[in-house]
Amino acid sequence: MSVDKTTVAKIARLARIHVPDERQQAIATELNGILSWVDELNEVNTDNVEPLANVTGHSLPMRDDFVTDGDRIDDVLANVPESAGGFFVVPKVVE
Amino acid sequence: MVDILDLGAVEARVALDAGEISAVELASAYIAAAEETSGLNNYVALTAEHALEMAAASDARIAKGEAGLLEGVPIGVKDLFCTAGYSSTACSNILAGFTPTYESTVTANLWREGGVMLGKLNCDEFAMGSANETSAYGPAINPWQAADGADLVPGGSSGGSASAVAARSALLATGTDTGGSIRQPAAFCGVVGLKPTYGRCSRWGIVAFASSLDQAGPFSRKVADNALMMQAMAGFDPKDSTSADVPLQELSAAVTLGVRGMKIGIPSEYVLDGMDPEVVTIWQQGQDWLRAAGAELVDISLPHTKYALPTYYIIAPAEASSNLARYDGVRYGKRVEAESLDEMYALTRAEGFGEEVQRRIMIGTYVLSAGYYDAYYLKAQRVRRLIRNDFDTAFETVDAILTPATPSAAFPVGRKVDDPVTNFLNDVFTVPANLAGLPGMAVPAGMNGDGLPLGLQLLARPFDEATLYAAGQVLEDAAGFVANPTRRAGGVS
Amino acid sequence: MTSNLVRGATGDWEVVIGLEVHAQVSSNAKLFSGASATFGADPNQNVSLVDAAMPGMLPVINHECVRQAVRTGLGLRADINLVSVFDRKNYFYADLPQGYQISQFKQPIVGEGKLRIDLPDGSSRNIGIERLHLEQDAGKSMHDQHPSKSYIDLNRTGVALMEIVSRPDMRSSIEAASYVRKLRSIMRYLGTCDGNMEEGSLRADVNVSVRRPGEALGTRTETKNLNSLRFIQQAIDFEVVRQIEILEDSGEIDQETRLFDTTTGTTRTMRSKEDAHDYRYFPDPDLLPLVISQDEVDELAAALPELPDQIKDRLTGDYGLSAYDAAVITEERETALFYEAASQQHDRKLVANWMTVELFGALNKSGQTLAECKVTPKRLGGLVGLISDGTISGKIAKDVFAVMFETGGDAANIVEEKGLKQVSDSGAIEALIDAVIAANEDKVAEYRAGKDKLFGFFVGQVMKKSGGQANPGIVNQILRTRLDGGG
């Protein structure tokens, strides 16, 4: 598995990070370095090993169905770069 | 007269309650110290006025006999914690100007117990780094200086926290530890740092790096102070679904328990090729101290140790790539204006995130993407279980594990490294505890030939922080380490 | 069952439809935050810091939403998974503050089930349910407020949705609409989703493909976010025609997401392609596995109300109602309960008739709902009782009903007050008949000469003379003897 410029562009697009064309090759090289290093994991036999996503061993705690939050538009918009009439405002989205 | 800054937290509490010093006095001394050592760049915001107000309130409570556990104790806060009304940026440009209207559970716990907030401390951007060099505020500096006078890194990501506590510009400090970000800088700066069991401290209100690994923990100069702070900051939080509803042990009492009869594991896999011989020596010394104090040393094997780092460097970036998706310029933080929404996202995130953060987002995005998920992410989750199993097996026979905290002492600021993987190696001894969710403590154990501190790491079973404090105190007593960093002692311009 | 094949220019095509229905869970608060899940608040009013994805905010699940999903699963006769997992579905969008939607990908809370649909011709059949999972709703983007900006409201962000995925078992737009109608009905019976399609509480994504009968599945398109039964049918019908035209023209169908234009009834390609759907699902590390106990499932199962299919079976089986009437009556639980109460001591079929024709007609005309209207089940039953025991005729009953609908009064009282009681006294009726015969001797002669059709004329005259109150059965009977008997 080797990352090329096209893959870098694709990942950058998925991650919504602008990567200038001239940086793509350098990033590809870096990622390949890291990926070939983590390939070391292939030495480990993980047949019949359950993936471990969380170490707590507990199940999900649940809360009761009460309205305990909301109605705090000042907090919600406290740091907003642009808003109007209580809405967040972004460049127009075309569907 | 004794320098007020020499008092530990436990000692300061006694002095405060006895009326020998006031909280305002103590806070003022620390504010002055922080200003005096501003060249270390360990504070990104000093909230002096707020600290003095809090200290005055502490004095009032002490006078009324209503003192909390940390009443009047000045504490620095890693910039990863959201503090209501005070800029909280995770040392990233993308959160430039972000002032939360809410307080993290951990800091709220500290203030509830009377802690006095000194300010926000430098760290690696989004806690991604091991040298505090990825911070948007520039590197924090280690108060310990190289023999040649060069500036050294304090470690990271909680570099500002370790640096401030070591430099006596904070009596205590909060940190977070995702792969070693408390223990490694603690070792580099010669202070005590605890990464609690996953789930012990609430993650609510802390900027997330890798949710299944992140844990907040305390920094202090003394083990007993650390226990006091941990007692105040930990606890079950219904706002964090991964928070554990497991009663906290009597940690302050644990420091007096000693290690007699305790079985301490020494893992053979922690001997690395080309490891600094002085690190090996200090590790050996630590074993001798514990044996001398009545512990039984047991050789153990943690066979999957060498796979912990690559496992970590899949899981942590994967979670981070998703956790950091919310920084998009829409609701808070930096925004780069653009014609289209997608362009705004891409430019905002390209300018807002630093190089290391971008690198990790890219890796994380890649390992989760279609076609690679099983080969990387799922594989890493399986190895993660094997790593945890190693520890479970070990803890069937031992009560704690002793390892070096870091493979080397602190290195110079700006050290050029071509291969990012080389930087990752700083975390080789600390990462396994995060993957397994175990508590781990770094305790200063001595100095290398250059006069720089070296630390040892203790690991214990989940939710058994008490054993770490008991053993940590033994190491501290035996080492007789005196934190007297060069740049502090010599004064900083 | 009639054939569902569609005739194209080059032969028959089979339509294959699968549906993904997004149903808003009825709950007070959101799935992972304590903000209100209510519709219609001011912009960003029902938003917590968790919903706005502020740094360091964490999700905590609402137990009631879990219970609602289990109830719905039980109503769909589906497997309940005691352990399920929440995953993150990663993508960027203005109304998705976290940059990911918390959903269930690999291990949903509900597994396979089935839903019986009732078709207009009275037949029924089962449609497979593949799964039901819990997930967060997104916010709302408004694109028409400003020439170069979109406005974002996060009130819906984080509201709990159930995504219910069918098997591709439907073969016509009518079946698809019947599926959604039944699904909505079951959830409304259960109280797990209000089914309000106008407010967006229930939306469907339709997957449509066509193939030659017996051949492998064709390439499908997905048309998103249809919020009425009519739009669902329109979108499918349009897609079927469009796809057949393309295929018959030797073209290929693009596997794509399409948008439905409600004004033209057509579908079109989405302009913003979603990065080839690389959602990078992985288990949400902020959450732990969702574990529910069998005891809790059993408890919820025991408390389930009777569902439309069960009631419908009783209505067609025990009560002898037509499949159509039974389906109409059981679609809404209120109606079914009303019917059961109204018909308890009366002629079941007659009550069904009165409900579906008169009562529903009047409700339709007045724009009232069953709950709002003044006619109680007991009153309607009373009215039918008066017809059955011959107190009033069906015709009079309509007048009585009209009054009852206005005032909510009791049928017997209305009959009494207005003197509408049916005349069954044969002496009185004979007198009326005598008068009619006397006044129409010519017609009597014609009738007796063989013009049988005139019988109806005599009945009408007698009824008219009685002011509609004469018992039509007795009128018929006496008239028959009087005219035919030559007396």
Side-chain angles (χ1 to χ4, degrees):
Chain A
M1 279 172 267
S2 179
V3 175
D4 56 14
K5 279 180 67 174
T6 319
T7 313
V8 169
K10 194 193 123 201
I11 303 167
R13 162 74 188 155
L14 277 176
R16 294 297 188 281
I17 295 177
H18 173 73
V19 175
D21 288 353
E22 64 272 18
R23 282 278 299 140
Q24 286 174 2
Q25 189 51 56
I27 290 174
T29 308
E30 244 174 48
L31 294 189
N32 279 321
I34 295 166
L35 291 169
S36 65
W37 172 63
V38 302
D39 273 346
E40 196 183 348
L41 293 186
N42 292 326
E43 296 168 9
V44 186
N45 181 347
T46 53
D47 295 350
N48 305 316
V49 179
E50 273 298 299
L52 179 64
N54 207 293
V55 294
T56 68
H58 300 131
S59 60
L60 191 61
M62 300 193 231
R63 56 171 232 278
D64 291 331
D65 184 26
F66 298 122
V67 174
T68 55
D69 207 337
D71 221 350
R72 54 193 305 174
I73 193 159
D74 291 348
D75 289 344
V76 169
L77 296 178
N79 287 279
V80 72
E82 188 179 358
S83 69
F87 293 98
F88 295 100
V89 177
V90 299
K92 198 173 193 80
V93 180
V94 184
E95 285 192 329
Chain B
M1 184 196 147
V2 177
D3 186 343
I4 196 168
L5 297 180
D6 283 339
L7 295 173
V10 173
E11 295 162 343
R13 283 294 310 121
V14 172
L16 283 161
D17 281 348
E20 291 162 16
I21 56 170
S22 75
V24 169
E25 236 179 295
L26 189 61
S28 305
Y30 273 96
I31 292 163
E35 283 166 349
E36 190 189 327
T37 58
S38 63
L40 296 175
N41 196 33
N42 47 28
Y43 278 88
V44 295
L46 192 62
T47 55
E49 199 178 319
H50 183 56
L52 292 172
E53 281 167 20
M54 288 181 94
S58 279
D59 283 330
R61 277 193 296 273
I62 291 168
K64 279 193 276 179
E66 295 170 0
L69 274 180
L70 294 171
E71 200 68 61
V73 175
I75 302 171
V77 177
K78 187 180 186 180
D79 202 32
L80 217 62
F81 292 75
C82 289
T83 42
Y86 294 95
S87 162
S88 306
T89 71
C91 291
S92 177
N93 281 323
I94 208 152
L95 275 170
F98 176 69
T99 304
T101 58
Y102 50 94
E103 187 79 27
S104 82
T105 298
V106 160
T107 48
N109 288 347
L110 295 174
W111 314 147
R112 189 198 60 223
E113 291 295 339
V116 170
M117 175 166 131
L118 286 170
K120 302 301 283 287
L121 296 166
N122 206 344
C123 61
D124 279 302
E125 183 182 6
F126 283 102
M128 296 180 192
S130 307
N132 208 129
E133 290 182 301
T134 70
S135 168
Y137 294 95
I141 310 295
N142 194 327
W144 297 84
Q145 229 162 3
D148 62 3
D151 280 344
L152 299 178
V153 302
S157 66
S158 311
S161 305
S163 167
V165 170
R168 288 174 167 69
S169 61
L171 180 41
L172 300 172
T174 68
T176 62
D177 190 318
T178 306
S181 282
I182 289 175
R183 291 158 290 159
Q184 185 255 15
F188 275 16
C189 294
V191 298
V192 181
L194 177 84
K195 181 205 93 79
T197 309
Y198 184 82
R200 263 290 187 224
C201 288
S202 170
R203 295 184 298 112
W204 193 90
I206 303 173
V207 172
F209 164 11
S211 310
S212 79
L213 303 164
D214 295 344
Q215 257 301 289
F219 278 98
S220 62
R221 293 192 287 276
K222 297 283 174 199
V223 171
D225 296 352
N226 204 280
L228 178 70
M229 179 167 175
M230 180 62 188
Q231 199 89 48
M233 71 191 278
F236 174 64
D237 181 5
K239 290 189 289 189
D240 174 359
S241 298
T242 61
S243 172
D245 196 359
V246 177
L248 197 61
Q249 298 154 302
E250 285 298 327
L251 301 178
S252 288
V255 297
T256 61
L257 294 179
V259 294
R260 186 156 303 281
M262 206 183 264
K263 287 185 176 165
I264 310 247
I266 308 299
S268 53
E269 290 80 4
Y270 279 59
V271 183
L272 300 183
D273 290 343
M275 191 156 83
D276 183 347
E278 288 177 302
V279 170
V280 180
T281 307
I282 208 94
W283 187 17
Q284 188 55 56
Q285 206 163 55
Q287 296 173 39
D288 296 342
W289 290 333
L290 290 172
R291 191 184 295 110
E296 181 189 340
L297 298 183
V298 181
D299 287 331
I300 58 165
S301 173
L302 300 167
H304 295 92
T305 298
K306 71 177 278 206
Y307 302 110
L309 266 184
T311 299
Y312 173 84
Y313 275 95
I314 291 170
I315 291 171
E319 293 183 11
S321 71
S322 177
N323 281 338
L324 271 58
R326 64 186 57 198
Y327 306 103
D328 59 7
V330 175
R331 297 165 314 285
Y332 46 79
K334 183 185 180 72
R335 173 190 290 197
V336 177
E337 298 296 343
E339 289 292 306
S340 75
L341 180 67
D342 274 340
E343 225 183 317
M344 184 195 93
Y345 286 152
L347 293 174
T348 297
R349 290 164 62 81
E351 281 191 27
F353 292 135
E355 201 182 316
E356 182 63 24
V357 172
Q358 291 191 31
R359 178 182 296 130
R360 297 201 196 189
I361 292 175
M362 297 281 281
I363 299 171
T365 303
Y366 182 77
V367 299
L368 289 176
S369 68
Y372 301 106
Y373 179 84
D374 287 8
Y376 289 113
Y377 187 73
L378 219 50
K379 180 79 186 181
Q381 298 278 44
R382 293 184 207 280
V383 179
R384 182 177 186 182
R385 182 171 298 279
L386 294 175
I387 291 165
R388 167 72 187 231
N389 290 350
D390 284 354
F391 282 110
D392 286 348
T393 306
F395 285 123
E396 283 170 16
T397 45
V398 300
D399 303 302
I401 295 170
L402 181 75
T403 79
T406 56
S408 72
F411 48 84
V413 173
R415 180 182 71 163
K416 282 278 168 271
V417 177
D418 291 335
D419 182 2
V421 174
T422 311
N423 278 334
F424 299 165
L425 294 175
N426 285 302
D427 302 327
V428 63
F429 297 139
T430 47
V431 152
N434 297 84
L435 291 171
L438 308 175
M441 176 188 278
V443 189
M447 307 229 224
N448 69 5
D450 294 332
L452 298 178
L454 290 173
L456 288 172
Q457 173 180 242
L458 287 159
L459 303 174
R461 296 184 185 94
F463 303 107
D464 189 16
E465 282 81 6
T467 290
L468 297 182
Y469 283 113
Q473 185 63 55
V474 168
L475 291 178
E476 180 177 280
D477 291 344
F481 180 84
V482 181
N484 193 14
T486 2
R487 281 199 63 170
R488 191 70 184 102
V492 177
S493 54
Chain C
M1 200 182 80
T2 51
S3 163
N4 274 323
L5 297 182
V6 177
R7 179 159 294 267
T10 60
D12 287 344
W13 294 88
E14 188 183 26
V15 179
V16 177
I17 303 162
L19 291 181
E20 288 165 26
V21 170
H22 291 90
Q24 181 183 327
V25 175
S26 293
S27 64
N28 298 319
K30 293 181 179 181
L31 182 55
F32 290 113
S33 90
S36 168
T38 326
F39 181 83
D42 288 342
N44 289 313
Q45 202 66 44
N46 292 342
V47 176
S48 75
L49 301 176
V50 175
D51 305 321
M54 290 292 173
M57 293 299 99
L58 297 171
V60 181
I61 200 165
N62 182 339
H63 196 169
E64 181 60 15
C65 295
V66 174
R67 279 193 285 254
Q68 293 287 53
V70 172
R71 286 187 188 106
T72 308
L74 292 168
L76 297 173
R77 296 175 283 164
D79 304 328
I80 306 300
N81 295 325
L82 298 181
V83 178
S84 62
V85 171
F86 284 98
D87 298 287
R88 291 185 182 177
K89 179 181 181 179
N90 294 284
Y91 65 97
F92 284 85
Y93 199 68
D95 56 23
L96 188 74
Q98 295 167 142
Y100 55 84
Q101 176 194 34
I102 304 177
S103 182
Q104 299 188 298
F105 182 50
K106 281 193 182 162
Q107 292 174 258
I109 184 166
V110 176
E112 288 195 50
K114 50 182 177 281
L115 180 82
R116 193 174 86 184
I117 60 171
D118 304 311
L119 295 163
D121 66 1
S123 67
S124 290
R125 72 187 198 89
N126 279 328
I127 302 295
I129 302 285
E130 191 180 306
R131 57 184 282 159
L132 174 156
H133 67 253
L134 279 168
E135 64 181 27
Q136 298 176 299
D137 202 352
K140 204 173 163 206
S141 304
M142 272 145 286
H143 310 303
D144 50 5
Q145 314 264 323
H146 188 283
S148 61
K149 305 278 187 185
S150 289
Y151 284 35
I152 312 296
D153 175 14
L154 301 182
N155 279 344
R156 297 192 71 91
T157 302
V159 168
L161 297 180
M162 295 178 280
E163 179 173 326
I164 302 153
V165 183
S166 84
R167 296 268 175 214
D169 287 353
M170 285 155 277
R171 294 292 174 267
S172 70
S173 61
I174 290 171
E175 289 190 354
S178 305
Y179 170 87
V180 176
R181 183 179 286 117
K182 175 55 79 64
L183 186 55
R184 178 179 181 275
S185 166
I186 288 174
M187 291 189 294
R188 285 175 55 83
Y189 268 71
L190 295 168
T192 58
C193 169
D194 68 19
N196 190 329
M197 297 190 80
E198 272 166 38
E199 289 179 3
S201 301
L202 194 69
R203 290 110 74 185
D205 301 344
V206 299
N207 291 299
V208 179
S209 64
V210 299
R211 65 176 169 189
R212 295 292 188 187
E215 288 187 359
L217 284 176
T219 306
R220 63 185 166 84
T221 62
E222 181 180 31
T223 305
K224 287 225 178 244
N225 255 329
L226 301 165
N227 66 347
S228 85
L229 294 177
R230 192 163 59 89
F231 294 159
I232 289 169
Q233 283 189 261
Q234 280 181 350
I236 293 171
D237 291 340
F238 180 84
E239 269 303 290
V240 168
V241 171
R242 189 185 71 86
Q243 292 186 14
I244 290 176
E245 275 178 14
I246 292 174
L247 292 171
E248 293 195 329
D249 207 20
S250 304
E252 279 185 11
I253 307 298
D254 291 332
Q255 180 159 351
E256 61 176 354
T257 304
R258 298 178 70 83
L259 292 176
F260 180 71
D261 186 331
T262 55
T263 53
T264 61
T266 60
T267 69
R268 65 173 169 84
T269 305
M270 264 180 92
R271 262 193 283 176
S272 54
K273 300 261 184 188
E274 291 173 42
D275 297 307
H277 301 286
D278 196 341
Y279 291 129
R280 291 157 285 138
Y281 284 100
F282 75 108
D284 190 328
D286 285 332
L287 297 166
L288 305 172
L290 173 61
V291 179
I292 37 181
S293 68
Q294 188 60 50
D295 283 354
E296 183 169 19
V297 174
D298 293 344
E299 231 168 79
L300 292 170
L304 287 193
E306 203 180 13
L307 290 174
D309 288 343
Q310 295 164 269
I311 302 178
K312 191 186 162 206
D313 288 347
R314 188 170 60 242
L315 264 50
T316 54
D318 299 355
Y319 304 171
L321 263 53
S322 72
Y324 177 81
D325 277 358
V328 170
I329 287 170
T330 55
E331 182 167 338
E332 296 286 346
R333 180 154 187 258
E334 292 65 33
T335 316
L337 290 177
F338 189 105
Y339 170 76
E340 291 274 15
S343 68
Q344 207 165 25
Q345 289 160 351
H346 302 287
D347 181 333
R348 300 279 191 183
K349 282 169 97 164
L350 199 51
V351 172
N353 253 322
W354 272 83
M355 265 191 81
T356 56
V357 181
E358 298 301 329
L359 180 56
F360 287 178
L363 289 175
N364 239 337
K365 222 165 165 185
S366 67
Q368 282 176 298
T369 64
L370 191 58
E372 288 162 354
C373 105
K374 290 181 179 161
V375 180
T376 63
K378 201 174 163 209
R379 294 278 151 91
L380 186 71
L383 177 66
V384 171
L386 292 182
I387 303 169
S388 299
D389 69 11
T391 306
I392 54 173
S393 67
K395 186 161 178 301
I396 294 286
K398 288 187 186 183
D399 298 334
V400 176
F401 177 80
V403 176
M404 182 188 285
F405 193 79
E406 283 303 314
T407 64
D410 174 68
N413 288 343
I414 296 168
V415 167
E416 196 65 42
E417 274 169 31
K418 308 237 166 187
L420 295 173
K421 199 161 180 177
Q422 178 161 274
V423 179
S424 299
D425 169 22
S426 54
I429 291 174
E430 271 176 44
L432 292 171
I433 290 174
D434 285 346
V436 169
I437 288 177
N440 295 284
E441 282 182 349
D442 48 338
K443 294 257 178 12
V444 175
E446 280 178 51
Y447 175 79
R448 285 182 176 155
K451 209 168 174 187
D452 292 349
K453 274 192 279 180
L454 279 172
F455 189 79
F457 165 78
F458 293 110
V459 174
Q461 290 295 308
V462 174
M463 291 305 293
K464 193 172 167 190
K465 243 184 151 54
S466 76
Q469 282 171 265
N471 181 322
I474 296 171
V475 170
N476 262 277
Q477 194 192 340
I478 299 176
L479 202 51
R480 190 73 68 188
T481 28
R482 294 293 300 276
L483 289 174
D484 295 357

